[in-house]
Amino acid sequence: MQIKNICCIGAGYVGGPTMAVIALKCPHINVTVVDANPKKIKAWNGPLDALPVYEPGLSEVVKQARGRNLFFSEDIRGNIEKAEMIFMAVNTPTKTEGEGAGMAADLRYIESCAKDIAKYSKSDKIVIEKSTLPVRTAEKIKEILEENSNGIHFEILSNPEFLAEGTAIQDLFKSDRVLIGGDESESGQKAVKALVDIYANWISKEKILTTNVWSSELAKLASNAMLAQRISSINSLSALCEKTGADIDELSKAIGMDQRIGPKFLKASVGFGGSCFQKDILNLVYLCKHYGLDEVAEYWHQVIKINDYQKNRFVQKIIEGFEKDIQGQKIAILGWAFKANTNDSRGSASIYVSNELLAAGAVLKIYDPMVDESRIRMDLEILWESQALTKKEIERRNASIFFVNDHKSALIGSMAVAILTEWEEFKNYPWDSISQAAKIYDGRKIIQKNKFNVDKIYSLGV
Ligand code: NAD
Ligand code: UGA
């Protein structure tokens, strides 16, 4: 099947960058990204320095392809109709109500996509799961498509995305692997080939792995679980280092030099954040329970429990530093994004740490170079809503938050500094020169301990 038109439903952190790169590398294919949120589409069509997603290198890719063969549109119907291949890159958050609440993936957005595809399609389509989904979701999608369509043939593929935020463009240009899961039937294999041919425009064939649909769906959840497991493993050991005099960075280096283990994802931190690790592991835990594999479920659940433990341990260190008298004390919060080089703050440890400090009575001066005040307030409001705080308590916490435009201003008058994102500008600051009174809590291990700062710094795992 020759692919001339691709439609991607979902113009978020995955849909936007992945489609921009496909369009750049495949000038012979028209790629249109659609979204139910018209504001997002407007922003994707707007100035290059204000795209809805911040990623190094993204604006250059969009600049080259937009208007040539890359389009952003509100017209979901027209673009589904026109495309031979449709990617579904919509959000799959953790369910907040109903069966599996707090654990299972909420599939309502993917289901609504499938319904739209069935309703608007007038010819056969290849439908691709780009979102991260529970294993065997393709079955459910097939049911929806077949129930609502008029004899049109849909071939469903799984093609999970492995990009990491902050390095998305580089990851898409040089993927470690592209995974494509398809049905073993003749039409399934034809569809797999059509997708392989697209990636083969810039990814070498030996990196394109084809499997059955279920392996592909599960491999995505398992990859995220194993990455997060390494972070929880090293974070758990950071607590032991603090008790024994061992140094977690030295430990990471010694462990990571074993080629069988490798050095990546062994950096101790205040805890992993992001929109995916926690939700994907919870989803995996839910699936294991569903299949009666309670021991397996418990094993993976520990990864989340250690992450919560680490975030809480960090907060308690700060509170203990004030010898229980934290009321009205100013604390600088440096960094809101869940990692450097992204404007995404979903699931960021900063949200948890800040909220606990506010609950204890502290006053916060917050600064992040990429996340703005309205987003920070929204992250806290969402949390407060889930905790059912009273209006009065929300007002009190809101009145204890101040925003500043640079990190130096955040430090003025602060008795403690919490470094929560590893932004380059924080790394380059002359930390030894800050006031003797302020204590620094380095949740990202960006400051080297030395004889000048040893009493001023709490560095995780030392
Ligand atoms: P996102 O929230 O940034 O974007 C999803 C978009 O889909 C939103 O703009 C939303 O308006 C739109 N949408 C939802 N339902 C729709 C519908 N029925 N019709 C049209 N538009 C609709 O989410 P994201 O971070 O891009 O993640 C998308 C998926 O990719 C998730 O399953 C996630 O787990 C997975 N993933 C994310 C990353 C990442 O780095 N963010 C990496 C790999 C995989
Ligand atoms: C992660 C995976 O790395 C991607 O492969 C995957 O596609 C994506 O999730 C997804 O499915 O959404 P992402 O969350 O964007 O990517 O970023 P990571 O680099 O994995 O970092 C996640 C969190 O772990 C961040 O808070 C980061 O600071 C933290 N981290 C990472 C550590 O604390 N220590 C480390 O050694 C590495």
Side-chain angles (χ1 to χ4, degrees):
M1 182 190 256
Q2 216 199 335
I3 307 297
K4 292 193 188 122
N5 294 290
I6 286 177
C7 169
C8 172
I9 309 179
Y13 283 87
V14 167
T18 51
M19 292 304 125
V21 168
I22 290 183
L24 182 79
K25 300 291 187 183
C26 308
H28 54 289
I29 300 176
N30 280 327
V31 180
T32 307
V33 191
V34 297
D35 200 287
N37 179 348
K39 272 198 204 144
K40 224 175 237 189
I41 294 300
K42 196 166 173 225
W44 279 110
N45 284 320
L48 288 167
D49 59 359
L51 296 174
V53 170
Y54 171 73
E55 275 295 335
L58 173 64
S59 62
E60 287 81 357
V61 175
V62 172
K63 187 177 173 193
Q64 284 188 61
R66 195 172 64 180
R68 179 190 74 181
N69 66 327
L70 172 67
F71 308 95
F72 296 92
S73 166
E74 285 175 45
D75 180 10
I76 298 180
R77 180 189 190 132
N79 283 294
I80 287 178
E81 227 179 277
K82 200 164 67 179
E84 300 90 24
M85 185 177 263
I86 301 171
F87 286 84
M88 298 186 290
V90 296
N91 36 328
T92 49
T94 304
K95 262 179 127 177
T96 53
E97 51 192 39
E99 200 190 324
M103 283 270 170
D106 186 345
L107 297 181
R108 83 176 98 155
Y109 305 102
I110 210 86
E111 284 169 7
S112 119
C113 261
K115 281 183 191 152
D116 279 353
I117 295 171
K119 194 158 65 177
Y120 302 138
S121 293
K122 292 189 178 140
S123 54
D124 295 353
K125 312 275 180 206
I126 298 173
V127 177
I128 300 170
E129 299 174 340
K130 191 50 134 173
S131 300
T132 303
L133 297 166
V135 56
R136 298 200 81 89
T137 304
E139 220 161 37
K140 202 176 270 178
I141 294 174
K142 201 174 176 64
E143 250 170 54
I144 297 175
L145 290 172
E146 285 174 357
E147 247 170 49
N148 296 275
S149 69
N150 305 315
I152 289 167
H153 182 75
F154 295 104
E155 203 56 58
I156 301 161
L157 302 180
S158 159
N159 171 222
E161 185 48 60
F162 295 100
L163 67 80
E165 288 181 30
T167 52
I169 298 301
Q170 186 183 317
D171 295 344
L172 289 164
F173 280 171
K174 291 191 177 167
S175 308
D176 286 352
R177 78 313 210 174
V178 165
L179 180 57
I180 302 173
D183 201 273
E184 273 142 34
S185 62
E186 199 186 328
S187 61
Q189 289 306 302
K190 260 192 190 161
V192 168
K193 184 176 179 309
L195 188 54
V196 168
D197 287 348
I198 289 174
Y199 284 110
N201 282 291
W202 77 100
I203 303 285
S204 59
K205 280 259 166 90
E206 61 279 8
K207 283 185 171 182
I208 305 178
L209 180 65
T210 58
T211 65
N212 76 31
V213 181
W214 320 130
S215 305
S216 172
E217 287 177 335
L218 188 54
K220 172 63 197 177
L221 290 183
S223 295
N224 273 1
M226 293 200 66
L227 288 168
Q229 180 213 44
R230 284 174 70 98
I231 304 170
S232 278
S233 296
I234 210 71
N235 281 345
S236 72
L237 291 168
S238 73
L240 185 59
C241 283
E242 287 172 29
K243 297 280 183 203
T244 56
D247 178 317
I248 196 65
D249 283 340
E250 291 179 355
L251 204 71
S252 293
K253 190 163 182 193
I255 296 168
M257 280 174 78
D258 185 325
Q259 286 195 23
R260 293 167 303 175
I261 298 173
K264 294 186 179 160
F265 271 70
L266 289 180
K267 179 88 182 160
S269 70
V270 59
F272 59 75
S275 60
C276 295
F277 279 173
Q278 170 149 328
K279 88 163 164 69
D280 292 347
I281 294 174
L282 288 173
N283 186 358
L284 186 64
V285 170
Y286 182 76
L287 279 167
C288 293
K289 284 196 172 150
H290 171 82
Y291 287 105
L293 304 172
D294 290 348
E295 287 81 0
V296 185
E298 192 43 41
Y299 173 76
W300 288 110
H301 207 179
Q302 281 301 325
V303 174
I304 307 272
K305 290 183 185 167
I306 288 289
N307 200 46
D308 291 342
Y309 164 77
Q310 184 78 341
K311 287 188 274 189
N312 190 45
R313 219 164 66 75
F314 187 78
V315 170
Q316 293 313 320
K317 283 280 172 204
I318 301 178
I319 294 176
E320 280 163 21
F322 283 97
E323 289 165 6
K324 311 270 184 238
D325 190 17
I326 197 173
Q327 285 292 330
Q329 298 283 357
K330 286 200 188 82
I331 300 177
I333 299 291
L334 297 190
W336 197 263
F338 79 97
K339 64 186 279 196
N341 296 322
T342 176
N343 60 347
D344 194 352
S345 59
R346 292 176 292 179
S348 177
S350 303
I351 306 171
Y352 175 85
V353 170
S354 299
N355 182 52
E356 291 299 311
L357 293 175
L358 287 168
V363 172
L364 305 184
K365 290 177 85 178
I366 304 177
Y367 169 69
D368 187 283
M370 287 308 301
V371 188
D372 63 20
E373 176 178 339
S374 63
R375 177 70 225 191
I376 295 174
R377 285 205 187 273
M378 194 173 102
D379 286 335
L380 287 167
E381 297 278 350
I382 293 171
L383 180 64
W384 293 336
E385 210 171 287
S386 74
Q387 294 181 335
L389 294 190
T390 62
K391 205 169 157 230
K392 199 168 159 213
E393 179 58 13
I394 291 178
E395 273 168 15
R396 186 192 71 74
R397 292 191 194 184
N398 260 326
S400 300
I401 306 172
F402 297 89
F403 294 90
V404 288
N405 292 326
D406 55 72
H407 62 274
K408 287 183 203 120
S409 310
L411 300 180
I412 298 168
S414 291
M415 294 306 288
V417 181
I419 301 173
L420 299 172
T421 312
E422 70 284 21
W423 287 106
E424 209 53 36
E425 60 183 83
F426 303 159
K427 288 187 189 166
N428 297 333
Y429 188 75
W431 290 105
D432 289 347
S433 70
I434 84 162
S435 114
Q436 198 58 45
K439 177 124 186 178
I440 305 161
Y441 295 84
D442 184 2
R444 290 298 184 165
K445 305 195 57 66
I446 62 175
I447 308 173
Q448 284 293 328
K449 262 199 167 181
N450 59 40
K451 61 179 185 225
F452 304 108
N453 64 25
V454 68
D455 296 327
K456 272 203 287 192
I457 294 185
Y458 164 68
S459 181
L460 276 164
V462 184

